[in-house]
Amino acid sequence: MVEPDNDLLLKLLADAVGKTTESQRLTIVGLGAGGLSSWEVHREPTGAPGGVRRPVLSWSELFEGPFPPGQVVVRAAGIQRDASAVLVCDAPDDRHAVQALELLRGAYPSVPVIASRGARIGEILQRVIADEPLTRPYDLVVLRRTVSGRPLLSGLPLFPVGARRGDLVDLVIRCGAEEPHGTVFAVVAASDRRFHLMSVESARLTPGRYELTAELRRPGRVRFAGLPAELRRDHRPWNSLVSAIPDRLVSSTTPSHLICAVEVSGTGERVSERLSRLERVIRAAAERTDPIVVSVISYGPHSFERAVPEALVDVGGWMVPTGRALETVRWLRERGPLAVGYPVAAQLECVLHEVARRIGGAPEAATALLTIGDRPAHPPRAGLGGRLPCPHRRDWAEALRACPGVVFAAIRDRPADQVEPVWHRLGEAMLTDLDTLDVPALVRALELIPPAAQRVPFPLMATE
């Protein structure tokens, strides 16, 4: 039935567009005084609908050629048998439009028909697409810190399913150091545990916290307000943006943390050498990293004789300023070395247990453990490595696993042909010795970079 109603046309097109899928397209055929026009509406992987208008074909082209008008008109309409369609006659008094309508109704009897005199189908279709509610939620791509301290791409919710044009949402993000090419604002649509990239823009922003407002302009288009710089389309390949993400995220609110564990048993000369190297590293780290806090832990041997009391792992200062840490190092030098004790192992496993206990999981800021010594750790139980087990049954490997996100570097007394597994792990970032120590290289390996200088291509969760 033909109904002369523009409101009905709007409703009919809205219903038809709402039923489109990636595989089910919609064809709209307009029959006007100037000829036949058509639009094809499809749905993007992001869930947003889109329309393509085909060139207008005049009635002379369709009715005055050598082929039968019925065949020509049906072909020009481009309606697929398995697609949905709508016929719109906006010139019901034009004989060619009426004739074409009758031809198409005969070919597609189930296709709905509506008459709307002078209807601007393209404008109405644009309005329908812009006013359609979201069929998939939209997220802003951000980085969040995992338990291990590694960055993970994640989504900050913007608009839920059902959101419409004009909806607003407030959000808070944080930016790292100013990126040469700008901080990336990428909006994605989620579906079936997958994310479909919808838009990528960027702006050069200084480090800090930003309070923004996101506005849904239409399906497939989000605008951000509240930034001090204008967002512009970013043409960089997605893979290059992802590859620019740093291996570790550091906090911008807490100082970097250098933990120093030094073995203070042995000859006076050897212990003095260890403490001298430790002092140099602390000073160099403080010059390169600001702010920074330092912890100093000294350790020696376990005692396996009842008559000999055991020296405990000594935390001389935990997360203290560098000046106090250097005072602790000087005090250790003045106190003198502990006895050698049990010669083939030291309390390394207890040191690592104490570090893991105090850190309590992934640290909030850049954290590194520098170990200086020579002897390996005790095993957690008898029969492992030919050494006496730790009296407290502590496992150095388990303690290391409880320190996610910590960078490990180590200084041995002398080079060794065969390095114990514990020293391989403790020297993961750099393993050197007292004689060949390169202090600047070691400080770089500790990755105690100033948090404000870390370049991150994507916004961060405000709490990171």
Side-chain angles (χ1 to χ4, degrees), residues 259-260 294-299 312-320 324 328 331-332 350-351 354-355 357-358:
I259 306 171
C260 308
V294 182
S295 299
V296 178
I297 303 174
S298 60
Y299 69 97
L312 300 177
V313 170
D314 184 13
V315 181
W318 184 260
M319 299 184 71
V320 299
R324 286 186 55 189
T328 299
W331 179 84
L332 290 172
C350 290
V351 170
E354 181 66 18
V355 170
R357 185 186 70 82
R358 287 177 176 261

Side-chain angles (χ1 to χ4, degrees), residues 240-258:
S240 69
L241 296 175
V242 174
S243 63
I245 298 173
D247 292 334
R248 298 174 65 245
L249 285 180
V250 297
S251 170
S252 64
T253 58
T254 54
S256 300
H257 185 192
L258 173 60

Side-chain angles (χ1 to χ4, degrees), residues 12-20 26 41 43 49 125 128-129 132:
L12 181 64
L13 291 184
D15 290 342
V17 170
K19 294 175 182 177
T20 58
L26 168 67
V41 180
R43 197 165 292 275
L125 183 58
V128 166
I129 291 176
E132 191 192 44

